[in-house]
Each structure stands twice: as C-alpha cells, then as structure tokens.
C-alpha cells in the first residue's frame, strides 16, 4: 500500500478555497456538538440541555453541596465511586506510583522537568522602583497565592501537562500549587505517570476529580478541595465551559479549543518529516487541525502520500482519519512570504518552519503560540522536553495571548509614593481632569491639599 489509504489523504487545495474551509476560524463554541453528546446529556439530566446548560447545573450543584456533589458527578460521569476522603490522593499512593512506571519513563519526566525549570528561571520577573525628586514610582511583582492545575485524563494520560503548568507556577513562587485530574476507572486513581509528574513538579496536593466538577471545586472550594485564585491547564469541552462560567470568580488561563499545528515547508523539506509532524497533531483529537502551507506542488503531493501511509500504521488511526478530513489540509501558496502572512492571520498554536533558511524568516512571524525552526527542532520536542510550556493559545488567540509562562502566575501591584514636590507639579492637572469628568470629590481631594500648600 505504497500510496496509502485514500480516506487518509489530506486535501490539496488553493489558498482561496482554504480560506473558506480549513483556514476559516470558528469560535471554540461554534463547533458542532455531536448528537451522541446531546443524547448523553438528556439521559443524564432527564431533559434536553445544551452543554453550557448542563455544565451550569454541575457548577451550581458543586457550589451548593461541595464534596457530596463532586463524588456524585464523578460517579455519574466518570463511572468511578469515591468517598470524600478518597478525593485527595495520599502521599503513600503517590510514592507507590513510582513502582508502576518504567525507569525510562521516570528518567524522561525528570529530564523534562529540569529543562522546563531552567527555561522558566530565565524569564525576567522582578519588581522595580524609580526614585527621584518627586518620590517613588514602581511595580511590585507578587506571586499568586494559590493555583489549581488541571491535567486531562480522557483519551490519554498527560503527565507532560502537569510539568508544563505546575513548574512555571513553582518558579513564579506560588505558595500553593494543587493538581486536579480525573480518575482511571479501573483504579479510581490518576495514571501513575501523572502522580509521579506531580511529585517531581513539587505539587502540594493531588485531587482525583475531572471535568466541570473539578473546575467548580477549585473555584468555590469544598470540604476537601481548597479554593484557589487561578486555574490553569487544558481540558475537554466540559472543562472549557466550566472555565467560561467561572471566569471572574476565579482567574482563568484561557479557553482552549482544539489543538492545531501549521507547517510551512519549501522544496528542501523532507516529506516524511513533514507528514509525521502533521500526524503528531492530528492524533490528539478528532477536532485537531494539521495544515501544511507550501509553494511546492511536489512537496504537497509527497506529503499527502507519506501522511496517508504513516497514518494507516498508527494506533489512533480512527481519530487521525477524522482530524485529517475535518479541519486539516495542504494549501498551495505563491511563496514562503505569503505563507507566513497567512500564518500571521491564522495565529496558529504551533508554527513549524521546515525551510532551508528558517531563521531568516523568524522576524516576519507575529502571531503564533510557538515557532519551531527546522527539521531537527520539531513540535514533539516542544510537547515534552524542549523547555517552554506546551500549553499554548489555540483558536487564533495567539494574536493576543501567550503560552503558559511565569507571568501567568504573578500579578503586578503598582506602587505610588509621591511627595509634596510632585503634588505641586502634577496636582493642578489632576484637579483639572477631575473637573472635566464631573467628579467633585476627586477634585476636592486634590484642591484641599493644594490649598494647604498655598498653591490655590
């Protein structure tokens, strides 16, 4: 089967066609909800509800009933029966997880953790003050007190997500970092690799809860699960909807949509490598997006064949097939510059430059969660061990958002320590602006002080 399965072949299309199909952005909540999901909601709640309405009911229940609601929804949704004391994973259970993973896995997690910490410790994040004749102005940079890290556990365990989120929080100086992650049906505990990752990342506590009930528990707090100030980490539709509902009650890192990659390749690109990079994204989820932009028809056709052949051998081929047919494509563009402009407009989560002169084009990139330069600097390394967090903005939000980093776990406190000299200089202007805005008390607060200085 040298040409691969036709049903696994990526479409090769022109740019105008792509703009109305695979390059057309949709808000995360515009993706169609499968009928199976809607039927499941009706069976569970006894009435026809949208996913948003269902999640709102779960959130309200957790707020009202705490642990009791959490264990009830865990039983209904995850098919795992727990008691409130079992919601927190014990230290002994975490340490026992080390014996359930291979030495190779442990070494990989430790290497990844070391590189993630080293990378984020290089990020500038300091307070500053400026002193002059007017006094002092500055900014205090302070870590958030408590952060909840959500690690998904649906179609595959993601210990890497634990490291990629918890370690930047620890580097930032967050006092308490807790992990919340779904149980496995056979054990009632998180996957052993997830528990080991939590220990390596120095997480302060681990709770075995998933979905909307997990986000609600972190936002409001329960008898067992502590209330946090911010929740970070990727999740499924239920998690994202809960984050949307609870934004403002608790800090939220973002509303992640389906994962995506955009590869720009020229004639120098190896089609086997390009195909493998596209498939590495497509296997995440049926809604994942894998797009190749190239001015080379030859490369396009070779990647099409290679991707179909490689996909047929994957264990998650059913997921890959749907991802390739729904939101993925190969787009023929005029040249590399046009490809980069398309990428800037699209704002991909991952942008991979498989170009002979990749570094020469880096300066043209404005919007991307991460840029991967060259065939030896591919996205999968970034997913696990390169150093930067792999939790990156999706759905075009790279136009205004950044990957998880130290700044996500700190806040800035403005410092204003001005003196009489400053009041004499800037007070009259403050009074004038207060008058324009019709805020008499504001103006009076200035004028009273100016009168004391015999300025008015």
């Amino acid at each position: 089967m040298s040409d691969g399965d036709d049903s696994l072949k990526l479409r090769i299309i022109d740019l105008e066609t792509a703009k109305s199909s695979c390059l057309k952005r949709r808000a995360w909540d515009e993706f169609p909800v499968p009928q199976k999901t809607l039927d499941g909601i009706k069976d569970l709640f006894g009435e026809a509800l949208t996913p948003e309405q269902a999640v709102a009911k779960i959130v309200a229940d957790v707020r009202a009933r705490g642990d009791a609601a959490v264990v009830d929804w865990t039983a209904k949704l995850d098919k795992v029966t727990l008691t409130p004391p079992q919601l927190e994973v014990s230290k002994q259970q975490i340490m026992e997880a080390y014996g359930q993973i291979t030495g190779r896995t442990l070494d990989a997690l430790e290497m990844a953790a070391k590189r993630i910490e080293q990378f984020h410790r290089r990020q500038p994040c300091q307070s500053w003050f400026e002193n002059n004749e007017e006094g002092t102005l500055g900014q205090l940079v302070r870590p958030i007190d408590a952060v909840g890290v959500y690690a998904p556990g649906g179609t595959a365990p993601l210990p890497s997500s634990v490291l990629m989120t918890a370690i930047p929080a620890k580097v930032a100086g967050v006092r308490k970092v807790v992990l919340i992650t779904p149980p496995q049906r056979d054990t009632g505990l998180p996957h052993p690799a997830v528990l080991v990752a939590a220990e390596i990342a120095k997480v302060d506590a681990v709770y075995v809860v998933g979905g909307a009930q997990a986000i609600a528990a972190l936002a409001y707090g329960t008898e067992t699960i502590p209330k946090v100030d911010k929740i970070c980490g990727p999740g499924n539709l239920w998690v994202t909807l809960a984050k949307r509902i609870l934004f403002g009650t608790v800090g939220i890192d973002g509303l992640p949509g389906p994962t995506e990659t955009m590869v720009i390749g020229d004639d120098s690109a190896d089609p086997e490598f390009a195909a493998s990079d596209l498939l590495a994204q497509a296997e995440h989820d049926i809604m994942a997006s894998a797009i190749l932009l190239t001015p080379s028809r030859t490369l396009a056709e070779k990647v099409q064949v290679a991707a179909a052949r490689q996909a047929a051998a994957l264990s998650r081929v059913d997921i890959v097939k749907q991802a390739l047919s729904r939101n993925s494509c190969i787009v023929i563009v005029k040249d590399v510059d046009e490809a980069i402009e398309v990428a800037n407009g699209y704002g991909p989560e991952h942008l991979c430059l498989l170009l002979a002169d990749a570094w020469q084009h880096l300066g043209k990139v404005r919007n991307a969660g991460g840029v991967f330069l060259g065939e030896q600097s591919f996205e999968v390394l970034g997913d696990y061990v390169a150093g930067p967090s792999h939790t990156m903005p999706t759905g075009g939000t790279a136009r205004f958002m950044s990957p998880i980093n130290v700044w996500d776990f700190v806040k800035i406190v403005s410092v204003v320590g001005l003196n009489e000299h400053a009041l004499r200089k800037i007070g009259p202007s403050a009074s004038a602006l207060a008058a324009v805005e019709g805020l008499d008390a504001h103006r009076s607060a200035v004028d009273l002080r100016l009168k004391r200085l015999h300025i008015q």
Side-chain angles (χ1 to χ4, degrees):
M1 193 172 63
S2 60
D3 289 340
D5 182 346
D6 284 347
S7 68
L8 291 170
K9 284 189 175 181
L10 281 159
R11 295 167 290 163
I12 299 177
I13 55 180
D14 60 56
L15 181 56
E16 289 307 309
T17 303
K19 287 179 179 178
S20 61
S21 57
C22 60
L23 290 177
K24 184 178 180 180
R25 281 293 191 190
R26 291 183 290 177
W28 65 269
D29 55 355
E30 292 178 349
F31 287 92
V33 180
Q35 188 60 45
K36 182 179 179 181
T37 299
L38 295 175
D39 292 342
I41 291 173
K42 187 174 182 179
D43 290 342
L44 185 63
F45 290 89
E47 58 181 319
L49 299 172
T50 66
E52 291 90 343
Q53 291 169 329
V55 169
K57 285 181 175 290
I58 295 171
V59 168
D61 193 26
V62 172
R63 183 179 190 181
R65 297 197 299 126
D67 280 352
V70 170
V71 298
D72 283 353
W73 288 110
T74 298
K76 292 175 181 177
L77 297 172
D78 295 321
K79 311 302 180 186
V80 175
T81 301
L82 299 172
T83 62
Q86 292 174 314
L87 293 176
E88 182 173 1
V89 181
S90 70
K91 188 71 171 180
Q92 179 180 345
Q93 289 170 322
I94 293 173
M95 300 314 295
E96 287 174 352
Y98 277 83
Q100 300 169 36
I101 64 171
T102 66
R104 185 183 183 193
T105 298
L106 178 59
D107 290 344
L109 288 170
E110 290 177 338
M111 170 184 280
K114 180 178 180 180
R115 292 181 64 91
I116 295 164
E117 181 176 354
Q118 289 174 338
F119 177 88
H120 287 90
R121 288 203 180 279
R122 294 183 63 85
Q123 187 174 4
C125 195
Q126 290 84 35
S127 302
W128 65 270
F129 300 95
E130 180 183 66
N131 301 298
N132 56 34
E133 69 277 4
E134 296 180 358
T136 301
L137 292 174
Q139 292 179 327
L140 285 175
V141 178
R142 292 289 185 259
I144 294 171
D145 284 342
V147 166
V149 173
Y150 185 87
T155 60
L158 297 178
S160 57
S161 290
V162 178
L163 302 178
M164 295 285 182
T165 309
I167 291 175
K170 283 292 186 177
V171 170
V174 175
R175 292 183 182 180
K176 186 167 188 176
V177 179
V178 302
L179 171 67
I180 199 159
T181 188
Q184 299 179 105
R185 289 188 181 181
D186 57 343
T187 66
L189 291 169
H191 191 279
V194 170
L195 293 177
V196 172
E199 180 70 13
I200 291 172
K202 298 181 175 62
V203 165
D204 296 292
V206 179
Y207 300 95
V208 57
V209 186
Q213 63 269 29
I215 304 303
L218 290 174
Y220 293 123
T222 71
E223 299 89 334
T224 301
I225 300 168
K227 178 180 179 179
V228 299
D229 300 304
K230 188 170 187 178
I231 301 171
C232 297
N236 61 13
L237 175 65
W238 302 92
V239 169
T240 301
L241 289 173
K243 283 183 171 184
R244 186 184 191 187
I245 290 169
L246 291 163
F247 176 75
T249 299
V250 67
I252 297 296
D253 59 339
L255 301 176
T259 189
E260 60 200 32
T261 196
M262 180 170 277
V263 176
I264 298 178
D266 59 17
D267 280 320
S268 71
D270 186 317
E272 296 292 331
F273 289 165
S276 68
D277 292 344
L278 294 170
L279 295 176
Q281 201 65 28
E283 74 173 346
H284 273 292
D285 186 273
I286 63 172
M287 299 305 294
S289 174
I291 298 171
L292 169 65
L293 305 179
T294 180
S296 170
R297 169 69 64 169
T298 299
L299 177 67
E301 292 174 352
K302 288 182 178 179
V303 170
Q304 183 188 54
V305 172
R309 187 183 68 256
Q310 292 181 28
L314 297 175
S315 61
R316 295 165 69 91
V317 62
D318 291 338
I319 291 174
V320 170
K321 181 182 294 187
Q322 294 186 68
L324 294 183
S325 65
R326 289 172 184 244
N327 307 301
S328 305
C329 59
I330 299 173
V331 184
I332 303 297
V333 293
K334 180 176 63 177
D335 52 32
V336 171
D337 283 340
E338 182 175 62
I340 291 178
E341 277 309 299
V342 170
N344 282 328
Y346 187 78
E349 179 185 10
H350 309 100
L351 178 61
C352 308
L353 302 184
L354 303 186
L355 303 170
D357 52 354
W359 280 95
Q360 293 183 33
H361 292 281
L362 178 60
K364 303 171 187 175
V365 176
R366 301 191 309 276
N367 299 322
V371 183
F372 300 83
L373 296 142
E375 292 181 338
Q376 306 309 315
S377 182
F378 51 104
E379 182 195 328
V380 172
L381 292 181
D383 284 342
Y384 296 117
V385 293
S389 176
H390 71 199
T391 303
M392 296 182 177
T394 62
T397 58
R399 294 174 293 112
F400 53 84
M401 291 185 68
S402 305
I404 284 286
N405 64 89
V406 173
W407 281 103
D408 284 296
F409 302 105
V410 300
K411 63 224 190 280
I412 293 173
V413 180
S414 296
V415 177
V416 182
L418 300 177
N419 57 26
E420 181 181 307
H421 181 80
L423 176 58
R424 291 178 181 274
K425 182 177 179 180
I426 67 177
S429 294
S431 177
L433 291 172
V436 169
E437 295 184 355
L439 298 175
D440 294 342
H442 281 63
R443 182 178 181 181
S444 178
V446 180
D447 291 349
L448 284 171
R449 289 170 171 80
L450 291 176
K451 287 178 181 179
R452 292 283 181 89
L453 298 176
H454 307 291
I455 293 176
Q456 291 187 334

